[in-house]
Amino acid sequence: MSQYGFPDLESPVSGAELINTHLEPTFEALYSQHGGASRPSYAVAGTIWRDTTTTPWLLKMFNGTANDIILGDIDPATFTFKPRGTSQWGGSAGGTANALTLTPTIPLDAYAAGVAYECLITATNTSETVTVNISGKGARTVKCSVGAGKVNPPIGVLQNGMIARFVDDGTNLILLNVRQYNKSADIATASTVNLNNASGDYVTLTGTTTVNVITLAEGVEKTCRAAGAFIITDSSGSSPQGIILPGAVNITTVAGDVFVVRGEANGTVRVVSYQRASGAALVASQSGVVLLATATASNSASISFTSFVDNTKYEHYFVEFDGVYTATDGTSLNVLLSKNNGSSYLSSYRTAASNSVSAFAIMASIAGGAAVTTAAGVFDLFGQSNGSAYAQCMWRTQGVSTAAGGADVTSYEGGFPLTSGACNAIRFQAGTGNITAGNFRLYGVAKA
Amino acid sequence: MKHIIATPTGTVEETMTKEEIKAHEEIQKRIQTDEKRAKIINELEDLDRQSIRAIRAGEQSRLTDLESQAVLLRKDLKKLEG
């Protein structure tokens, strides 16, 4: 279609000539929004005209000198108008995971501050350096806006399948919808666990392999859940630091424990919080009496406390118990000590009543099978920091002997194992049968 | 047969291995021997107290009876102590 024009109305014409050669083209130009393959010659600053070179058409405004400003795109086939300078759909991202290319349906003329672009991410970024090249106009670096700064995007922030939205700040493309709060596929524990590979922010760590290194890009945060027991090795004393754990000691996880990890510089990661599944404190209070461990008997052959000795903090431990009764009426309640953390228990002890017994019989006769005649008491263990001394023990217990017709069974006694050296495990067990019920709580008395 | 192991990092209930059950039963056997020995010693102490009362009361036949009971208990105690 040829472009209409505005003839010079000042020409000395009249009648049919005026209508055919002057007025008609003028109105047709107006009716067609000055449509044509090039800017009309009569255009002045502010003239809006329709460029029909391509479909969709481009709606342009002449700036009065040499350029046109594209106002938008008009697609006569889909009856749509898309204004320029706002946002554009870039379709599925092409290129590579870290060097994306976008090919919008309406090609970009030139990068301009304030213009937004949206696209479907087709590969998760594996580098903190990410670029996007739109319509072949040159690669622009992707940044994230954090506070007043602009930082590189974390690894994995652009996830395969997500819709990303960028805005041009005049220099970079700023990623607006930084991805958050997604569950990752599980990651198996290994000597090195790469959390950068996590496909989400919430990661379940499976397996029981000791974790010595955690890889996580600086500034990135991941929340991890332990599916089982494994050791996380503290290396806060190394240079450069590796894994920094609260209290600077290794942590043995328990299924259900949850912790938050942040990446820092030089390959360091910091566990910024750790929540035990039990709710117990990760690092126990270091003053006063500290609850270290609990156990509840349920028709149990024995109740053992292990791995609790910490000579830097405690010199005195005690187990407080209540509600204890056994399956066998009239049997004894006994305590045994171990020097190898419960692998085996010492077999000879001396008490005030006997030079050599197989266990501390802290109650001679305990009620069996009846919750109303339960036993309670305290068993003390002293002196574990002196590795060559005999462990010193005391106990005070009270119960009712139904076997002896309801007689009171109260005991105040002490003793020591006939093998010297520090003990590091305490076991409770009945002389015959199991412990039906009872609550046992191990405390440490802090030195300071 | 299950046992409970409690540590500052958590508490677990575990099924005992055959070896652990064997060790547990051996300990219980020794404890039961201790219980029997303690019972005999208690009875002997009681007999001692009764004997003193019999001597004070001049009950010679009662004293003889108590002494023969004590002899039997001492035999049992010797047997227990192997």
Side-chain angles (χ1 to χ4, degrees):
Chain A
M1 185 176 69
S2 62
Q3 193 164 17
Y4 302 103
F6 275 179
D8 183 1
L9 295 179
E10 291 178 358
S11 299
V13 292
S14 61
E17 187 184 0
L18 173 66
I19 292 169
N20 293 335
T21 63
H22 290 77
L23 293 180
E24 231 172 56
T26 299
F27 285 118
E28 282 169 343
L30 290 172
Y31 297 155
S32 68
Q33 191 58 55
H34 311 283
S38 61
R39 184 193 321 127
S41 58
Y42 51 79
V44 295
T47 298
I48 294 173
W49 66 283
R50 181 171 56 94
D51 186 342
T52 59
T53 309
T54 58
T55 302
W57 304 322
L58 299 178
L59 191 63
K60 297 181 174 178
M61 176 183 281
F62 182 43
N63 72 350
T65 55
N67 297 308
D68 293 297
I69 301 155
I70 301 175
L71 302 178
D73 304 78
I74 301 165
D75 192 333
T78 58
F79 319 116
T80 54
F81 171 73
K82 292 180 181 172
R84 290 288 181 99
T86 53
S87 69
Q88 289 206 52
W89 172 243
S92 296
T96 64
N98 305 314
L100 289 68
T101 59
L102 299 187
T103 311
T105 311
I106 301 162
L108 178 70
D109 298 310
Y111 288 113
V115 180
Y117 306 91
E118 290 155 350
C119 68
L120 174 68
I121 299 298
T122 54
T124 302
N125 69 303
T126 57
S127 167
E128 293 180 12
T129 302
V130 179
T131 60
V132 180
N133 190 338
I134 304 173
S135 300
K137 297 297 179 186
R140 229 155 164 73
T141 303
V142 173
K143 296 281 186 182
C144 292
S145 179
V146 178
K150 290 164 188 169
V151 299
N152 284 337
I155 291 169
V157 74
L158 294 170
Q159 287 284 307
N160 184 6
M162 75 178 277
I163 301 294
R165 183 173 170 83
F166 306 96
V167 65
D168 192 331
D169 72 347
T171 306
N172 303 300
L173 291 175
I174 308 300
L175 178 65
L176 298 180
N177 57 330
V178 176
R179 202 184 129 274
Q180 290 183 343
Y181 312 130
N182 249 27
K183 185 185 182 308
S184 165
D186 295 355
I187 293 180
T189 50
S191 181
T192 298
V193 169
N194 189 342
L195 289 180
N196 286 327
N197 291 338
S199 55
D201 309 278
Y202 190 56
V203 190
T204 296
L205 299 177
T206 60
T208 57
T209 307
T210 296
V211 177
N212 297 307
V213 176
I214 293 175
T215 306
L216 187 59
E218 186 177 5
V220 178
E221 179 179 289
K222 300 284 181 185
T223 301
C224 302
R225 186 183 73 85
F230 57 86
I231 295 168
I232 308 172
T233 307
D234 176 79
S235 48
S236 53
S238 305
S239 180
Q241 293 170 309
I243 303 174
I244 302 175
L245 295 174
V249 292
N250 295 352
I251 293 174
T252 301
T253 66
V254 174
D257 286 1
V258 174
F259 55 97
V260 178
V261 187
R262 292 297 294 260
E264 296 191 351
N266 303 318
T268 294
V269 296
R270 186 181 296 272
V271 174
V272 296
S273 68
Y274 194 104
Q275 178 63 60
R276 288 278 185 205
S278 66
L282 181 65
V283 179
S285 165
Q286 302 213 9
S287 61
V289 175
V290 180
L291 177 62
L292 298 177
T294 62
T296 302
S298 176
N299 196 27
S300 308
S302 63
I303 305 287
S304 301
F305 292 96
T306 66
S307 305
F308 60 84
V309 169
D310 185 343
N311 291 326
T312 64
K313 297 176 186 170
Y314 312 110
E315 185 63 34
H316 171 202
Y317 305 88
F318 66 90
V319 178
E320 174 196 75
F321 57 91
D322 61 30
V324 178
Y325 61 98
T326 53
T328 305
D329 193 27
T331 190
S332 57
L333 180 63
N334 302 273
V335 171
L336 296 107
L337 301 176
S338 169
K339 292 174 66 177
N340 55 15
N341 207 33
S343 293
S344 62
Y345 284 84
L346 301 175
S347 58
S348 295
Y349 303 82
R350 181 164 294 172
T351 66
S354 178
N355 280 342
S356 178
V357 284
S358 303
F360 292 132
I362 62 171
M363 289 193 75
S365 178
I366 188 168
V372 293
T373 51
T374 59
V378 176
F379 178 87
D380 296 281
L381 174 66
F382 299 92
Q384 302 317 296
S385 61
N386 185 341
S388 58
Y390 291 94
Q392 297 163 288
C393 305
M394 293 177 70
W395 55 91
R396 45 211 186 280
T397 60
Q398 196 280 326
V400 175
S401 172
T402 50
D408 172 80
V409 182
T410 297
S411 175
Y412 296 92
E413 207 177 350
F416 59 92
L418 287 172
T419 306
S420 63
C423 293
N424 49 21
I426 303 172
R427 169 171 286 184
F428 289 77
Q429 69 176 73
T432 302
N434 290 345
I435 300 174
T436 307
N439 306 304
F440 297 78
R441 294 171 289 273
L442 171 69
Y443 296 87
V445 181
K447 290 176 178 177
Chain B
M1 189 178 274
K2 293 185 174 181
H3 60 168
I4 292 175
I5 299 169
T7 73
T9 56
T11 301
V12 291
E13 183 182 56
E14 289 180 349
T15 300
M16 296 168 79
T17 64
K18 280 181 184 173
E19 291 73 26
E20 286 170 336
I21 291 171
K22 194 178 168 192
H24 179 77
E25 288 173 347
E26 280 174 5
I27 290 170
Q28 284 199 324
K29 269 184 196 168
R30 292 201 304 270
I31 292 172
Q32 285 159 21
T33 303
D34 288 347
E35 288 176 358
K36 285 176 190 165
R37 187 169 54 218
K39 193 178 171 192
I40 291 171
I41 290 169
N42 281 341
E43 286 176 12
L44 282 170
E45 286 172 354
D46 188 47
L47 286 179
D48 279 349
R49 283 189 291 271
Q50 290 184 53
S51 297
I52 290 167
R53 283 197 293 272
I55 291 166
R56 284 177 182 163
E59 296 172 349
Q60 188 56 44
S61 60
R62 168 85 175 136
L63 184 60
T64 308
D65 180 46
L66 290 170
E67 280 176 352
S68 32
Q69 284 182 49
V71 168
L72 291 174
L73 284 172
R74 285 195 190 94
K75 271 186 188 172
D76 289 344
L77 186 60
K78 203 170 184 181
K79 216 182 281 177
L80 274 176
E81 291 174 342

